[in-house]
Amino acid sequence: MSIELIWAIILSFAIFAYVILDGFDLGIGINYPFIKSKWERDLAMNTVAPIWDGNETWLILGGGGLFAAFPLAYSIVLPALYAPLTAMLIGLILRGVAFEFRWKEKNKSNIWDKAFITGSYTATFFQGVALGAFLQGISITGRSYSGSWWEWLSPFSIFTGVALLIGYGLLGSTWLIYKTENRTKRNMQFLAKRFFVLTLLMITVVSLWTPYLNSEYFDKWFSVPRIYYVLPVPILVIFASLKCIQSIYQNKDIQPFLWSIFLFLLSFIGLMISIYPNIVPPSLDIWEAAAPEKSLKFLLVGVLIFIPIIIGYTAFTYWVFRGKTSSDENYH
Amino acid sequence: MLMFDPLILARFQFAFVVSFHIIFPAFTIGLASYLAVLEGLWLWKKDDRYLKLFNYWLKIFAIAFGMGVVSGIVMSYQFGTNWSVFADKTGPILGPLMGYEVLSAFFLEAGFLGIMLFGMNKVGKRLHFTATLLVAFGTFFSAFWILSVNSWMHTPAGYSINDVGQFIPENWFEIIFNPSFPYRLVHMLMAAYLTTAFVVGSVGAYHLLKQNSNICARTMLSMAMWMAAIVAPLQLIAGDMHGLNTLEHQPAKIAAMEGHYETKKGAPLILFGFPNDEKMEVNNAIEIPKLGSIILKHDANAEIKGLKDFPEGETPPAEIIFWSFRIMVGIGMAMIALGLWSFYLRLRNQFYKNTFFQKIVVLMGPAGFVAVIAGWITTEVGRQPFTVYGILKTMDSASPIDAPAITASLLVFIVTYFLVFGAGTYYIFKQFAINPDTDKTHPVKIGSLGVSLKIFNKS
Ligand code: HDD
Ligand code: HEM
Ligand code: HEM
């Protein structure tokens, strides 16, 4: 395996880790409008307060890793997605500061709750838009982006934006099923069921739409014999879906969350199948975009040393704050 | 038209977001260490005063750190969105360094921040102290890597250039420890410590003025003034060495900082004046003869090269950095003076009594931030017209982005930053107004969790 490919895998891992981890805490913001009482909102916030910053760090690793390992891709994708990324950053600012600020505001209709909701919706929607625009393909001439500043806008990218809102909604509600009890948990089960149905719908539409974006995608999925290799993906999706909805009905704690993650993993693998071996669709591949070997090797050493340590202490933090969260006094 | 030049807009946007960002690290790097010291003192001396102070500053730290994180994430995307050509060319060198920053610093900070803020009852005192220390180390590693990145842009080393114009690493050691890096690292870390010390001292002095017996306020003021008395003079020395290093590698920057347009033997030190880049002269200059040569070359008759003798179009604007440099150095001198004064008052046993001194300390609270920004403006504007000094011009670094896109995003950043960080600053000030000794929010609702820090009652 070439070092370029190893780096592509590392980056995929970082991005997937980000999608899952920040997905569920952005998902809390997406569920927030449906949580009415103050103490339940406090509770929902408390379930992620000690960990959200770590979750978001994977986004920085994704961005920084792209800069380091595939600088050409970084310098093409970021200008291409200028507007959606800026909107996403603004959204992340709003919801990021809300974690601290909402405790300082005594007012009943807390403005930072609104900022939290707005920020979470904005960040998620535009992440989805960015993903859609990326899949659609980016215009490149020479070594730079050559489209206009609204090339990202299309029915497909708007649709993937909405799809991601729903998907993160599912992650958020199932996370809260895991972290809460009684009334809150029941409310979350109610929401999770709805998000679940919509998520399936979105996965189906995006899966059917993507192959028609360009013929290369189509061939990857529907040409013989490839169709036999990729068939397990949709089959597993059906299986995971059944398990997910069943575990919600059976009033399980952590299973709905884990099955939702599995659904995300399958969708992510589907994406990778469509894109590979490109790093910027439709025409820039991993090898063309890669940094010279010396750069890749140097940072690879760091990744091999630090990622296991990071996973170790991240797991430790999750363990320290494990179990059901309560809004106030049970917390110690 | 100025407003519609994408390059100017991109530069303005970068300067705006990075200047906002640096405000928070300058404070949190120092504060993280201060919290570690407070917690350490509490564990060692078992004096509740330190725990009170720890809890008090922890709440402020949580707010400032949150703002540092979100403004920092913006930074890591700016290179791609606004400086994509720069990113393509320097990525092979700067990318891995920033990658190491994420791996060794950001994850460490973020990973242990949760325990530091909310974990006091969950993990026990020792482990909690470890978490605090690790967060402090994280801020240090972060400064290490990002300043290495920045210094490399000033004094590039250890690279070659390939056929598509990318910088290719040849020697990582030379890249990381490039010639200006040690100076910049030391100077910036001390700047962060001083910034924090003056904020802490200012809050301490404020409460002391309200209630002279306030033991927590006394402790704050005293700790802060020790820091000022020791570090401010060291900062002068570090700054001087930094300047000499710059003279060696970026003589045009020094000429602009000093307002030297003409090459002169035995150059004067221009204290004040109004540099005019167009006419290439300094109006109304107040000078001390020969001192310029003495400071820069340690020789009264040495020759100092003036801006006129550098290639045209390769010199930075003296009109800006002449002033920003004087603001920074002026504040540095004021800090040294205050440190000396505090020392003198201690000897005379007047330290907690002299209210005039305390009022001055209150006023000096924001001084560090002003100096930090002035310092960065000096450094960065002084690097112009290059992004990688001597090799890559700023105008060749920008993204192929249309002006309307940058204008729109710039406006959105400005509005959001002022609203959001304005609110954060307001909350921090509200916390400052609370008396640390009788902080009734104990057991504290530390920000996000609404957790009670019960150890305060137990111990
Ligand atoms: C990793 C690199 C890096 C780092 C650590 C910094 N900068 Fe910088 N700075 C740049 C990389 C850069 C740049 C990308 O190279 C810019 C953009 C335009 C330019 O000429 O250089 C720049 C420009 C730039 C300008 C505008 C100069 C001009 O266009 O005339 C200012 C005022 C600052 N920076 C201020 C700062 C501050 C306050 C920093 C502290 C955090 C800082 N810089 C760190
Ligand atoms: C212009 C270049 C810079 C970039 C791209 C950048 C990037 C970032 C990013 C992405 C974060 C968020 C990390 C997190 O989630 O914890 C951050 C925070 C931080 N940055 Fe920067 N930064 C820059 C300049 C600097 C400089 C010059 C320093 C110090 C000397 C610095 C010190 C820090 C520290 C200590 C934090 C932790 C958060 C805090 O303390 O508020 N940064 N930065
Ligand atoms: C006391 C006298 C001081 C001297 C002689 C001095 C000297 C310098 C010089 C020469 C530079 C430019 C480096 C370059 O060429 O790139 C610089 C930059 C800077 N200064 Fe100072 N400085 C002093 C005080 C301070 C103080 C008090 C602070 C903040 C509390 C501060 C913060 C900074 C910062 C943040 C930078 C930019 C980063 C860097 O290049 O190190 N300085 N200083």
Side-chain angles (χ1 to χ4, degrees), chain A residues 121-136:
Chain A
Y121 274 80
T122 312
T124 307
F125 177 71
F126 282 102
Q127 264 173 29
V129 169
L131 174 70
F134 176 74
L135 268 178
Q136 238 172 223

Side-chain angles (χ1 to χ4, degrees), chain A residues 78-90 122-123 125-131 133 149-150 152-153:
Chain A
L78 270 68
L81 302 178
Y82 194 91
L85 289 180
T86 304
M88 172 191 89
L89 291 171
I90 299 287
T122 312
F125 177 71
F126 282 102
Q127 264 173 29
V129 169
L131 174 70
W149 65 284
W150 35 262
W152 53 276
L153 186 65

Side-chain angles (χ1 to χ4, degrees), chain B residues 42 46-48 51 125 453-459:
Chain B
W42 171 58
K46 313 249 176 326
D47 183 342
D48 270 356
L51 182 62
K125 291 177 194 171
L453 269 192
K454 276 284 170 58
I455 33 95
F456 179 60
N457 298 340
K458 278 185 206 145
S459 61

Side-chain angles (χ1 to χ4, degrees), chain A residues 53 56-57 60, chain B residues 14 18 21-22 24-26 28-29 61 64-77 79 98 101 105-107 109-110 138-140 142-143 146-147 150 188 376:
Chain A
D53 186 10
E56 204 164 276
T57 308
I60 308 171
Chain B
F14 193 91
V18 81
H21 172 62
I22 196 66
F24 304 109
T28 50
I29 293 172
F61 180 75
F65 197 89
M67 295 194 280
V69 169
V70 293
S71 62
I73 293 175
V74 173
M75 293 313 308
S76 60
Y77 282 79
F79 292 109
M98 288 170 58
E101 184 186 15
F106 292 159
F107 273 111
E109 293 169 344
T139 62
F140 172 78
S142 167
I146 197 71
L147 289 171
N150 183 265
M188 177 65 212
W376 274 109

